[in-house]
Amino acid sequence: MRTLVAVACAAFCVTAVTDSGHAQNGATLTPAFDTSEWLASNSPITFRVNGGDAPGTGALAVFIGSVDVSALLRRDGDVYRYDPELVRLPAGEHEVVVYRVTGSDAWSELGRIPIRVLTPGGFERIDYDPLLAVENAGQIAQGHSLDQLAPDRDTYQDFTFRAGFSTQHARPALTVRSQLNTVGASNRAQALRFGTERDDAPKFDLADFLVRAEVGPGALSFGHVAAGTHRHLISGLASRGVALHAGAGPVFATLAALNGSSIVGWSNPSGLGQDGHRVLSGEIGVEAFPARPGMLRMDATFVDGSVLPRTGFSQGAIVDAETSRGMGVQLSAMDPSGRVRFNGSLARSEFDNVEDVTLTRGNTLVIIRDETREARRFDLSVDVLRGVRLGSSTLASLSTSVRHERVDPLYRSVAAFTQSDLEENGVDVTATIGPFSARWGHSRRSDNLDDIPSILTTQTRLNELSLAMPLGWVIGQTGNAWLPQLSYTLNRVHQFGEGVPGNGGFSASHIPDQLSAIHGVAAQWYHAAWQFVYRFDRSTQDNRQQGRQNADFERTAHTATLGLTPWRRLQLAVDASNEEAVSEGIDETSEVRRLGANATVQLAGRTALTLFGSQSWTTDPFDGGAERVIRQMRLEFSQGVSLWSRTGGAATGRLFVRFAHQRGDLFGLAGTGAMPSAWTVNTGFNFSLF
């Protein structure tokens, strides 16, 4: 069907152009091949010139794209043929333009024939997008008044770059996409794997790569992939490996094999070259109503994985060898209107904490083996009201949701980050009336689900409340910029131990009981030329543990920010804050006051000047209430540049020079003499070349 439509469109285009040519010379141009089909680069181009004074009067000039192939034409009566033996057809979509030449300046167009030519590899389209970005961060001068303020390096010039590419190859029923990214650094401390390899980290490294082939409803991915949608088994696990996805109608399936941790670098390109450090997963899903995705869907997931004592490439830690095997199901459903939505999941996982001799070192330890445990979660959401009209222009909505989650003690899956020995139940209610919004949430959390007598059972109660209301809307003056947007938030957490565990050496004074609350009030004013925000926060910590009833804590903070745009090239901001912390247990009070300002001026074009300054006053209760003053100043000049134009954009970058100075009692060193100070001059640039 699509071929017939394309042929009809091509015929219409050629006829339309030919009609114009016929008015000039009485000739018509007709292609002798299917213009909707993709041609090989060596396919002949054949067309017929009929009627009028053709053939016989004047010569034909034929261009394919911008190439003149007139001298290579073969003629048989009114049929002309071009065989691309010497000059192949250019890949892509082009036009064959035919002219009648009756004199040196008498050219008349007979018509245009669209052609679509495959690349030498048989692809309809090949897109290539390179990436090359270079950054520099340097320090050309510095000074300090005390040795304690000396930087690690007096001067330096560090360079980093990112290089890579992305491609797309498309042919009938097949699309191949690829991407590759590398990272380089002149300073080894900034190398990609410095966190784990330290001095052995390569300065130039492979960050990620991906090759994905899509054939109809199926896809095969190799490189850095992500797998899993089950909360308790495997959820968005991203690493190097291979993944296969296939779908047919309402049924789809995914198989994946990944490295057991996030890896980078040139070695182990498949991610699967290390025994005992792999995760295999599979998922099959069914949409009961394909025309209404999400109305009723079921997914089944399995995971079989083992990990060695390895961490991700960016962190160092002591971890253990583990294996797990698990299966789970998920169900999502909603009513036809979408008002009622349900999501549920169940999982069972068999976990084995394999002995690692590098950790046990010959010692006898109690090792957990072959624990089969379960986890579940259910969410139900209901839109009680949806867009109900109140009055002429006010809409109201009300929704609620309930949730339940239980993860058995000792539950573990190597492909999911799930806290075990936990049960949580919660409810949330959200309401809106016009621009007014409110949300309330309550949850109850418990641990020690096996009720082991010698283990402390902890209960957590969480209440959350948030309100947002424009004052102008309340009093009927919506457009008044002097009336603020008001908001209030509350977060209240009560954590307490349940009873005194037996046979564990506990007493009543060891049982925690703490109530924490955070209140926040904010008022925001917005105008085209100015903005002002004031916020008040108060947090309290009420310790009710036996013997520690007076170990309470209270913190209050006032913050105000004023932003001004008096001119389109000038932006100003001033902020002030005052924070006070009171520790009732030791009868100590500390206070921090701060005043800061910054300005940005666009001098001309892409030239900018930025000035920042601040001063803070800190009262130290551990130093007899002494006040420490810190002053900071920063001045930066930056210039945007364009190196050259390129397809799809330009190579751009930015240069900067920055002077920074700080002076004050930075580390309680004022008693050593003059007020300590330090300054630096830094330079740098960043360029996106491709």
Side-chain angles (χ1 to χ4, degrees):
M1 183 63 182
R2 284 182 293 181
T3 302
L4 294 176
V5 172
V7 172
C9 291
F12 173 79
C13 295
V14 173
T15 302
V17 174
T18 304
D19 286 343
S20 174
H22 181 75
Q24 299 177 24
N25 50 55
T28 60
L29 176 67
T30 305
F33 60 93
D34 188 351
T35 58
S36 67
E37 296 293 333
W38 286 82
L39 307 176
S41 60
N42 60 351
S43 298
I45 300 297
T46 305
F47 58 89
R48 185 184 302 274
V49 179
N50 296 321
D53 55 356
T57 303
L60 293 185
V62 179
F63 289 81
I64 299 179
S66 60
V67 180
D68 185 353
V69 297
S70 307
L72 302 177
L73 291 178
R74 297 179 182 178
R75 176 184 173 187
D76 183 6
D78 58 358
V79 176
Y80 293 80
R81 176 187 176 101
Y82 168 66
D83 290 304
E85 298 174 351
L86 299 177
V87 181
R88 294 295 181 101
L89 299 176
E93 300 188 30
H94 304 279
E95 286 184 321
V96 178
V97 186
V98 181
Y99 298 92
R100 172 72 70 188
V101 183
T102 56
S104 59
D105 296 324
W107 287 50
S108 60
E109 183 178 312
L110 299 184
R112 296 170 179 258
I113 303 173
I115 61 172
R116 309 165 77 187
V117 182
L118 298 171
T119 67
F123 293 97
E124 296 175 353
R125 186 179 74 255
I126 295 180
D127 297 324
Y128 176 75
D129 188 13
L131 166 68
L132 179 59
V134 182
E135 296 184 8
N136 164 255
Q139 183 166 288
I140 60 176
Q142 65 86 29
H144 51 276
S145 62
L146 296 176
D147 291 340
Q148 293 92 326
L149 302 179
D152 295 335
R153 296 183 292 171
D154 291 341
T155 60
Y156 57 85
Q157 293 293 327
D158 292 339
F159 295 86
T160 61
F161 73 89
R162 294 177 294 115
F165 61 83
S166 61
T167 68
Q168 177 175 317
H169 295 67
R171 63 187 304 172
L174 172 64
T175 300
V176 179
R177 310 174 195 272
S178 66
Q179 68 177 50
L180 181 141
N181 293 288
T182 60
V183 176
S186 62
N187 181 10
R188 195 179 303 274
Q190 298 173 351
L192 194 60
R193 284 185 282 171
F194 182 77
T196 54
E197 302 291 334
R198 310 305 292 179
D199 292 339
D200 294 329
K203 292 185 176 182
F204 175 64
D205 218 342
L206 173 65
D208 63 80
F209 75 94
L210 175 65
V211 179
R212 179 180 174 87
E214 302 171 359
V215 181
L220 177 64
S221 301
F222 173 71
H224 283 73
V225 299
T229 60
H230 197 291
R231 176 184 179 90
H232 298 117
L233 284 177
I234 177 170
S235 179
L237 180 65
S239 187
R240 189 178 293 179
V242 60
L244 174 64
H245 176 83
V251 181
F252 69 89
T254 301
L255 296 174
L258 295 86
N259 189 274
S261 58
S262 179
I263 62 171
V264 295
W266 303 99
S267 61
N268 195 5
S270 69
L272 307 176
Q274 191 173 24
D275 292 337
H277 199 61
R278 305 188 190 101
V279 174
L280 307 178
S281 72
E283 184 174 0
I284 182 169
V286 179
E287 285 276 5
F289 305 99
R292 295 289 305 274
M295 190 169 179
L296 181 60
R297 170 173 166 171
M298 177 173 284
D299 301 87
T301 304
F302 81 87
V303 171
D304 188 348
S306 61
V307 294
L308 297 174
R310 305 285 188 272
T311 62
F313 68 92
S314 62
Q315 62 180 138
I318 299 177
V319 295
D320 205 354
E322 302 170 334
T323 66
S324 72
R325 295 155 296 280
M327 297 186 64
V329 295
Q330 299 180 91
L331 176 67
S332 61
M334 65 180 179
D335 72 313
S337 67
R339 287 178 176 268
V340 181
R341 301 171 298 278
F342 173 80
N343 290 281
S345 64
L346 299 171
R348 170 173 286 189
S349 179
E350 180 183 354
F351 171 71
D352 186 3
N353 197 179
V354 182
E355 181 179 2
D356 181 7
V357 294
T358 62
L359 294 179
T360 60
R361 298 184 177 274
N363 297 313
T364 302
L365 303 177
V366 177
I367 299 176
I368 302 172
R369 294 187 182 277
D370 294 335
E371 293 287 348
T372 301
R373 297 300 174 104
E374 298 179 349
R376 63 176 183 261
R377 182 181 174 94
F378 306 106
D379 296 271
L380 177 64
S381 302
V382 180
D383 293 337
V384 181
L385 301 176
R386 180 189 288 179
V388 176
R389 187 172 296 277
L390 302 177
S392 59
S393 59
T394 302
L395 299 179
S397 298
L398 175 65
S399 62
T400 183
S401 64
V402 294
R403 64 185 182 278
H404 164 77
E405 181 176 19
R406 178 187 170 95
V407 184
D408 285 347
L410 303 180
Y411 178 91
R412 178 81 168 95
S413 172
V414 298
F417 301 97
T418 301
Q419 182 179 347
S420 62
D421 195 15
L422 174 70
E423 181 171 324
E424 181 177 1
N425 298 283
V427 59
D428 294 278
V429 179
T430 303
T432 61
I433 303 176
F436 169 80
S437 64
R439 177 189 172 274
W440 171 78
H442 173 75
S443 64
R444 306 168 71 89
R445 184 181 303 172
S446 303
D447 59 13
N448 191 19
L449 302 184
D450 279 345
D451 294 325
I452 299 175
S454 60
I455 296 179
L456 175 67
T457 299
T458 305
Q459 304 287 346
T460 302
R461 306 289 184 260
L462 171 63
N463 286 281
E464 298 175 291
L465 176 65
S466 62
L467 304 171
M469 174 181 62
L471 186 58
W473 174 77
V474 175
I475 64 177
Q477 297 186 27
T478 306
N480 192 335
W482 297 100
L483 297 175
Q485 166 89 17
L486 303 177
S487 62
Y488 170 76
T489 59
L490 168 65
N491 185 287
R492 187 177 186 273
V493 182
H494 186 197
Q495 291 182 308
F496 57 94
E498 190 177 83
V500 180
N503 301 322
F506 291 94
S507 66
S509 62
H510 296 148
I511 309 306
D513 189 351
Q514 180 175 291
L515 176 63
S516 301
I518 302 175
H519 302 263
V521 179
Q524 305 173 61
W525 290 261
Y526 294 101
H527 189 269
W530 58 271
Q531 305 85 37
F532 180 73
V533 178
Y534 167 76
R535 183 172 183 87
F536 170 74
D537 294 284
R538 179 175 182 268
S539 61
T540 60
Q541 180 178 297
D542 181 7
N543 199 328
R544 303 176 177 181
Q545 182 177 344
Q546 183 175 325
R548 292 179 54 84
Q549 291 87 343
N550 295 326
D552 297 336
F553 182 84
E554 180 179 345
R555 171 189 169 273
T556 58
H558 301 265
T559 305
T561 303
L562 174 63
L564 300 172
T565 311
W567 180 42
R568 64 183 182 87
R569 290 183 175 271
L570 174 62
Q571 294 179 335
L572 303 172
V574 179
D575 63 276
S577 64
N578 183 80
E579 180 179 338
E580 184 180 77
V582 179
S583 179
E584 297 182 3
I586 56 176
D587 192 22
E588 296 284 359
T589 300
S590 63
E591 184 179 11
V592 178
R593 291 169 290 139
R594 182 185 178 278
L595 180 64
N598 65 78
T600 300
V601 185
Q602 296 291 333
L603 299 177
R606 288 174 289 176
T607 304
L609 182 65
T610 302
L611 176 63
F612 166 81
S614 71
Q615 180 165 316
S616 63
W617 300 262
T618 303
T619 301
D620 187 355
F622 301 101
D623 191 17
E627 186 177 79
R628 297 177 178 174
V629 180
I630 299 176
R631 299 184 183 94
Q632 294 180 307
M633 187 271 287
R634 184 171 64 248
L635 178 65
E636 179 175 309
F637 174 85
S638 63
Q639 174 66 53
V641 296
S642 294
L643 300 181
W644 61 78
S645 298
R646 58 185 175 88
T647 302
T652 60
R654 198 161 193 87
L655 308 166
F656 75 86
V657 178
R658 181 190 305 125
F659 171 77
H661 181 270
Q662 56 184 2
R663 180 182 180 86
D665 197 358
L666 305 177
F667 304 102
L669 302 175
T672 61
M675 190 72 73
S677 63
W679 59 269
T680 58
V681 179
N682 297 92
T683 61
F685 63 78
N686 61 79
F687 290 111
S688 178
L689 304 178
F690 295 102

